[in-house]
Amino acid sequence: MQNTISLTELATQQASKVNAITASLNEARTEIQQLKSDLSTSQGKIDILEEGQTELTSQVGDSSWPEGSYCILASGDCPAGFTRHSGTSKHLTQLYGMSWILWSTSQLGC
């Protein structure tokens, strides 16, 4: 038995394949347009954030600490340029309007 196909059947098969490829291309175009739109939206958000960053940077200016005294609670060694100092703080607190008083002592390190 010989395998034969009519020209009409061959044309129908080819047309079906072309239609499937065309549908896939149209779907890909739609997805590409959506990605372009998402990218544009993201770029707009990035631009707004960069403008905010620029504004904040100009407001902050020099990020070095100005001269003065600072109290920093230390944990471990002090960083370069800082000197450790110790002190004591006492608190007198009346809780929730009750008649008893809580005394506490805290140890600070700067």
Side-chain angles (χ1 to χ4, degrees):
M1 181 172 194
Q2 189 175 0
N3 289 335
T4 61
I5 187 168
S6 72
L7 288 177
T8 304
E9 287 180 50
L10 183 59
T12 301
Q13 289 176 358
Q14 295 304 320
S16 177
K17 290 178 184 179
V18 168
N19 288 339
I21 291 170
T22 301
S24 292
L25 284 172
N26 287 335
E27 185 178 323
R29 283 187 185 117
T30 300
E31 290 176 6
I32 289 170
Q33 289 302 321
Q34 183 61 48
L35 289 171
K36 285 180 179 179
S37 174
D38 292 348
L39 181 60
S40 177
T41 300
S42 295
Q43 186 60 52
K45 290 177 181 178
I46 289 170
D47 291 344
I48 290 169
L49 291 172
E50 286 177 343
E51 288 171 13
Q53 179 185 16
T54 300
E55 182 179 333
L56 288 173
T57 301
S58 69
Q59 289 176 4
V60 170
D62 183 11
S63 61
S64 62
W65 287 41
E67 291 292 323
S69 297
Y70 299 92
C71 181
I72 301 172
L73 299 179
S75 175
D77 295 334
C78 290
F82 287 87
T83 305
R84 180 180 297 274
H85 299 279
S86 296
T88 302
S89 172
K90 294 186 179 191
H91 302 273
L92 170 65
T93 307
Q94 184 176 4
L95 297 177
Y96 304 108
M98 297 181 164
S99 60
W100 54 278
I101 296 176
L102 170 68
W103 287 89
S104 69
T105 302
S106 299
Q107 192 69 13
L108 300 176
C110 298

